Amino acid sequence: DWSMTYTTIGKLAQRISQRSFLGLLERDAAYQLEAPTLWDVDFQTAVAQAELEDRDRPGAMHRVRFGVNGTPTHPGDGQALIETTRPELIPACVALLAHPDDPRHRELVGSEARTPLFGTRVPVLAHPLVEQDKGTGLVMVCTFGDLTDVTWWRELSLPVRSVLGPDGRLVAVPWGSPGWESESVERARASYGELEGRTVNQARKRIVELLSESGELIGEPQPVTRAVKFFEKGERPVEIVTSRQWFIRTIEHREQLLARGRELKWHPPYMRARLEDWVKGLTGDWCVSRQRFFGVPFPLWYPIDEAGKIVYERPLAALESQLPVDPSTDVPDGYEPSQRGQPGGFAGDPDVMDTWATSSLTPQIAGQAGEDAELFAKVFPMDVRPQAHDIIRTWLFSTILRSHLDEGELPWSNAAISGWVLDPDRKKMSKSKGNVVTPMHLLEEYGADAVRYWAANGRPGTDTAFDAQQMKVGRRLAVKLLNASKFALADLPPQGQALTHPLDRALIARLSKVAAEATSSFEDYDYARALERAESFFWWYCDFYLELVKGRRYDPDPDVSASVSLALRVSMSVFQRLFAPFLPFVCEEVWSWWQEGSVHRAPWPDADELAAMASPPSPAAGVLEREQTALELAADVLREVRKAKSQARRPMRAPVTRVLVRDTAARLAVLGLGAGDVRDAGSIERIETEEAEEFSVEVELAAEAAE
RNA sequence: GGGCGCGUAGCUCAGUUGGCUAGAGCACCUCGUUUACACCGAGGGGGUCGCCCGUUCGAGUCGGGCCGCGCCCACCA
């Protein structure tokens, strides 16, 4: 319904998004925290776990010697060796860890070690997450090199010794002051002076030189390739930087979210595993604040105390009547604009929400939650979320989370997961690779129906390689529908009240089955199957049924043409509606030739109605089956006649003097029901029969001169 | 490393409770024709259903094990 579109920057979406956030805040489902956060150093913003991707990057493994005291029994005699790919974080080292069961480091655990170059004393502790077979089995914990560091830091209550700034450069640190003690402050300052202000890469290069000079680097760095986490749009690896951010509670709902995932009907079912993997792998709550310019702002301000300090602990929420608000221009209730930024005044929250924080409310926005209670009650929860598999962990996940938190139920009953359109070489299209095929020229060359036809052939969940051949097929089908409709409907004689001819009943009976299959396929979200069934039967219909009934259709006697006239109307009406979802334009066109209104508003074909129409007047046992066999046999004989003509290199209208059909008695008994149509369609003078085990046809063509 | 999916004609893919002499379209070859359709029609060739075991009267279909491809996830030592 194109009258109900919205944009995520529109007032409606902003209002609903801000209102939902305030609701979460009120219920303590959202909170702010100064904590280690995934951070992109180029965009200088927090990013969420869902926005990360792994990229393989070359690096080097450095073996580094830490000093140890009074542990002469330890192998290496007075030294502890660790391996690291990030030696630039040695000044941020807060502990060394070994696995509790590792015999090599048992003596060392519980003692203290000294960092190289800086002489900081760090405890040597045990933790089960340490992998014994990596490196020396001894690992350094820094604040923060990776998410595991965060885990260790949290679980072992380690101090923070942070060296990395939001711009990705090493910040100044106060060597010698509390937290930055050193056995040799002079040396620490001197060493760090070589690193301060440098980027991570520059610092890494320099510290390797320093370690090498001091003899604390053991051996040469060994080149390795390792998976590094990047913000999906970023150029440099994400870092972990401590900052104040807003979070939505997620982890504590893990089990309920998994239950929601099981409640949802997935198409195809195996896609549920993607959500489960994701939910089970979550390492923290969802960070929703971003330090960017564009986005929906947080509807919050903070008081400023008399000393001019922002009091983050007491956020001032916007009033419902103010929504949507922009705290950088709007003013909180009870304050004057002149108080902005002043002691005793207020400051607006400078951050905006993650785009998914608004997109996760799609059903609520479309249903106008909190705006139009009647509409919302009518449409929520919705039937289906259609989307591709790559954003299960973002769009699908976050939508379920928000609906769970706000509405206490699933946002929709079904998830229809599509695949990607791949380039002709089956690679994912991407701007950076330059292999993107835009659809405009396809629409121009093949038509919108053909492009849509091709897209509909991609089965749910399956990636589809771009294939111009398939568009030709779609175009052919569209043209065929145009031509068949023209033949079937133009100058059609008056229709009868009922299907009096057995072949017409048999046709509608088959059509009923096809309609039933298309319907159940659609109900299963298997649109590709619905199309395939309708399509293959339609081609059979054109090749055989339309040819078989030509004689009766053009017969001047209205009693003869009445039944086929009805069958043609019914069948074309059904085909036009069955194809309408796939070939919307051509179907609308052929529908307009003889029907009122739009085919897209017409009722879907009713298989039961068709079956009723196809039932024989005398419902004796086996009549239905006999008529089905008659139609099949008629088509089989016609096929053999055509084959004979084709192999004799004669035209299809070449007359046939005699056809001998051999088949079982049972089948021959029903041949008569369709023999007249077969004769007309094959230009056959005489059909004879002979009983046999297997079906075969002998064809006698008239002499060529007879043409 | 864990999980999921896929491997059927040269290509894109059907094959739903095991019964197939394995199908369709494209491409290829032959022929025909213009009274719905040259954006056409009729016909033909082409496959040890990735490999190996097993269950079964019978396996493309079920079970196990390999091989290959793809995707998702994962702890950057």
Side-chain angles (χ1 to χ4, degrees):
Chain A
D1 185 342
W2 295 98
S3 72
M4 298 185 70
T5 57
Y6 70 85
T7 62
T8 47
I9 55 167
K11 280 202 183 312
L12 174 75
Q14 294 218 16
R15 196 160 60 231
I16 290 174
S17 181
Q18 291 185 333
R19 183 187 296 128
S20 171
F21 177 81
L22 291 177
L24 294 175
L25 186 60
E26 224 173 271
R27 304 196 303 276
D28 192 37
Y31 64 94
Q32 59 179 330
L33 188 67
E34 176 110 21
T37 314
L38 294 162
W39 186 268
D40 185 278
V41 296
D42 291 313
F43 289 89
Q44 298 212 25
T45 176
V47 296
Q49 191 181 348
E51 295 172 291
L52 298 185
E53 64 184 26
D54 285 351
R55 295 181 201 164
D56 281 331
R57 282 289 178 275
M61 189 66 76
H62 309 81
R63 183 167 282 222
V64 178
R65 189 179 70 211
F66 277 55
V68 290
N69 292 330
T71 55
T73 54
H74 189 261
D77 199 15
Q79 60 185 30
L81 300 182
I82 62 109
E83 288 194 350
T84 181
T85 57
R86 302 206 57 180
E88 74 278 11
L89 291 178
I90 289 173
C93 178
V94 291
L96 296 186
L97 299 184
H99 192 276
D101 300 336
D102 194 336
R104 294 171 295 176
H105 306 298
R106 194 159 286 156
E107 297 294 327
L108 203 55
V109 171
S111 70
E112 279 190 327
R114 284 186 315 279
T115 61
L117 298 178
F118 306 97
T120 316
R121 293 159 69 92
V122 294
V124 183
L125 304 168
H127 194 281
L129 234 46
V130 178
E131 290 184 32
Q132 301 188 43
D133 56 356
K134 275 199 178 174
T136 61
L138 202 58
V139 58
M140 76 167 176
V141 184
C142 306
T143 51
F144 297 93
D146 61 30
L147 289 170
T148 318
D149 281 346
V150 179
T151 305
W152 282 324
W153 167 78
R154 197 175 281 142
E155 291 188 10
L156 299 169
S157 302
L158 299 167
V160 176
R161 198 171 287 135
S162 186
V163 297
L164 205 58
D167 59 354
R169 291 175 184 273
L170 272 64
V171 296
V173 298
W175 290 103
S177 65
W180 296 93
E181 295 88 352
S182 167
E183 292 194 339
S184 168
V185 174
E186 294 300 300
R187 189 183 178 214
R189 281 187 186 141
S191 303
Y192 196 78
E194 299 285 324
L195 310 178
E196 191 182 316
R198 294 183 190 247
T199 66
V200 166
N201 281 334
Q202 294 162 348
R204 183 177 305 157
K205 196 173 167 207
R206 184 65 188 127
I207 198 170
V208 170
E209 293 165 2
L210 297 176
L211 288 165
S212 185
E213 285 161 19
S214 71
E216 288 161 307
L217 180 71
I218 310 299
E220 287 295 308
Q222 300 299 311
V224 292
T225 301
R226 72 227 200 278
V228 183
K229 294 205 182 303
F230 281 74
F231 171 46
E232 57 197 1
K233 298 184 181 106
E235 303 287 317
R236 286 191 278 171
V238 291
E239 296 294 350
I240 294 162
V241 170
T242 299
S243 58
R244 190 189 59 86
Q245 304 292 344
W246 281 100
F247 296 84
I248 292 179
R249 295 191 197 281
T250 307
I251 294 296
E252 64 192 64
H253 304 294
R254 202 194 296 261
E255 287 309 315
Q256 292 103 302
L257 291 170
L258 288 170
R260 293 283 181 220
R262 289 189 293 271
E263 206 183 312
L264 183 64
K265 289 195 280 293
W266 294 78
H267 310 277
Y270 61 76
M271 281 296 172
R272 196 183 79 195
R274 302 270 181 108
L275 179 72
E276 297 198 337
D277 277 0
W278 177 248
V279 172
K280 287 174 185 163
L282 284 171
T283 59
D285 287 334
W286 177 18
C287 176
V288 289
S289 46
R290 296 291 182 275
Q291 292 66 50
R292 292 176 189 153
F293 183 74
F294 291 106
V296 177
F298 284 86
L300 299 173
W301 302 263
Y302 305 97
I304 299 177
D305 67 15
E306 293 308 323
K309 192 165 171 277
I310 296 177
V311 187
Y312 288 111
E313 297 71 35
R314 290 199 291 116
L316 305 162
L319 302 175
E320 166 67 29
S321 60
Q322 288 180 290
L323 301 180
V325 296
D326 179 352
S328 70
T329 53
D330 295 322
V331 175
D333 189 39
Y335 287 85
E336 293 298 321
S338 60
Q339 291 177 278
R340 183 182 296 277
Q342 300 300 315
F346 67 93
D349 190 308
D351 292 352
V352 297
M353 297 187 211
D354 177 9
T355 59
W356 294 114
T358 301
S359 295
S360 57
L361 296 169
T362 313
Q364 288 91 325
I365 297 169
Q368 303 198 19
E371 308 274 330
D372 182 341
E374 199 186 330
L375 176 66
F376 190 65
K378 202 182 278 181
V379 302
F380 191 95
M382 298 198 165
D383 290 326
V384 59
R385 157 61 63 82
Q387 62 160 80
H389 51 63
D390 56 332
I391 50 176
I392 287 174
R393 68 177 184 170
T394 48
W395 198 27
L396 190 142
F397 164 74
S398 62
T399 309
I400 290 179
L401 174 67
R402 298 300 290 276
S403 179
H404 176 75
L405 293 176
D406 282 359
E407 312 296 336
E409 60 184 327
L410 277 177
W412 358 257
S413 348
N414 295 277
I417 308 297
S418 70
W420 283 330
V421 174
L422 304 176
D423 79 358
D425 300 326
R426 299 205 66 85
K427 293 273 179 288
K428 187 184 174 182
M429 291 189 192
S430 72
K431 282 185 215 158
S432 57
K433 272 190 247 162
N435 60 344
V436 173
V437 183
T438 57
M440 194 51 77
H441 73 280
L442 301 171
L443 296 173
E444 283 163 4
E445 190 174 348
Y446 301 102
D449 280 346
V451 175
R452 189 176 170 91
Y453 168 91
W454 160 76
N457 271 302
R459 286 188 130 69
T462 308
D463 295 345
T464 308
F466 177 84
D467 185 5
Q469 287 301 342
Q470 287 301 309
M471 292 185 208
K472 284 191 197 161
V473 177
R475 186 165 179 81
R476 225 163 64 90
L477 177 63
V479 170
K480 192 77 173 178
L481 187 62
L482 216 50
N483 287 319
S485 297
K486 190 162 87 186
F487 164 73
L489 302 170
D491 303 319
L492 200 55
Q495 66 182 50
Q497 291 299 306
L499 300 169
T500 54
H501 196 284
L503 291 199
D504 296 339
R505 284 195 294 268
L507 184 269
I508 300 301
R510 283 187 65 172
L511 189 58
S512 163
K513 287 196 184 112
V514 171
E517 243 188 313
T519 305
S520 65
S521 298
F522 261 123
E523 282 168 353
D524 252 1
Y525 289 82
D526 197 349
Y527 46 84
R529 185 183 170 83
L531 170 58
E532 185 214 297
R533 292 308 145 116
E535 184 184 8
S536 71
F537 183 63
F538 177 66
W539 281 104
W540 181 90
Y541 170 87
C542 291
D543 292 345
F544 292 99
Y545 183 76
L546 288 186
E547 294 297 330
L548 281 168
V549 301
K550 265 184 182 166
R552 287 192 287 130
R553 184 220 188 286
Y554 288 114
D555 197 293
D557 181 353
D559 289 341
V560 175
S561 58
S563 175
V564 64
S565 179
L566 177 61
L568 288 173
R569 281 172 215 268
V570 169
S571 54
M572 285 316 303
S573 160
V574 170
F575 280 125
Q576 289 173 5
R577 284 177 290 154
L578 286 178
F579 286 126
F582 307 105
L583 306 168
F585 292 98
V586 75
C587 288
E588 188 75 333
E589 169 65 16
V590 294
W591 188 257
S592 75
W593 292 348
W594 64 310
Q595 302 277 3
E596 291 297 312
S598 169
V599 69
H600 303 296
R601 287 178 181 271
W604 185 248
D606 184 332
D608 293 339
E609 221 170 75
L610 293 168
M613 186 182 290
S615 70
S618 68
V623 173
L624 198 68
E625 290 71 20
R626 281 163 54 83
E627 292 183 349
Q628 289 291 299
T629 308
L631 181 58
E632 279 167 34
L633 196 51
D636 288 347
V637 173
L638 182 57
R639 187 198 309 275
E640 291 302 317
V641 171
R642 283 173 178 164
K643 191 181 198 170
K645 289 178 181 176
S646 181
Q647 283 172 348
R649 310 192 158 191
R650 302 282 297 278
M652 281 303 124
R653 59 172 157 71
V656 177
T657 48
R658 174 175 160 273
V659 167
L660 177 62
V661 180
R662 294 193 182 86
D663 208 334
T664 59
R667 272 167 60 93
L668 289 178
V670 300
L671 178 60
L673 296 176
D677 283 355
V678 176
R679 266 196 299 274
D680 287 343
S683 312
I684 301 162
E685 283 175 32
R686 199 168 76 252
I687 299 178
E688 294 172 4
T689 62
E690 189 178 301
E691 211 177 308
E693 291 290 309
E694 288 195 356
F695 172 77
S696 70
V697 177
E698 230 176 85
V699 180
E700 268 180 35
L701 291 166
E704 210 155 335
E707 286 166 37

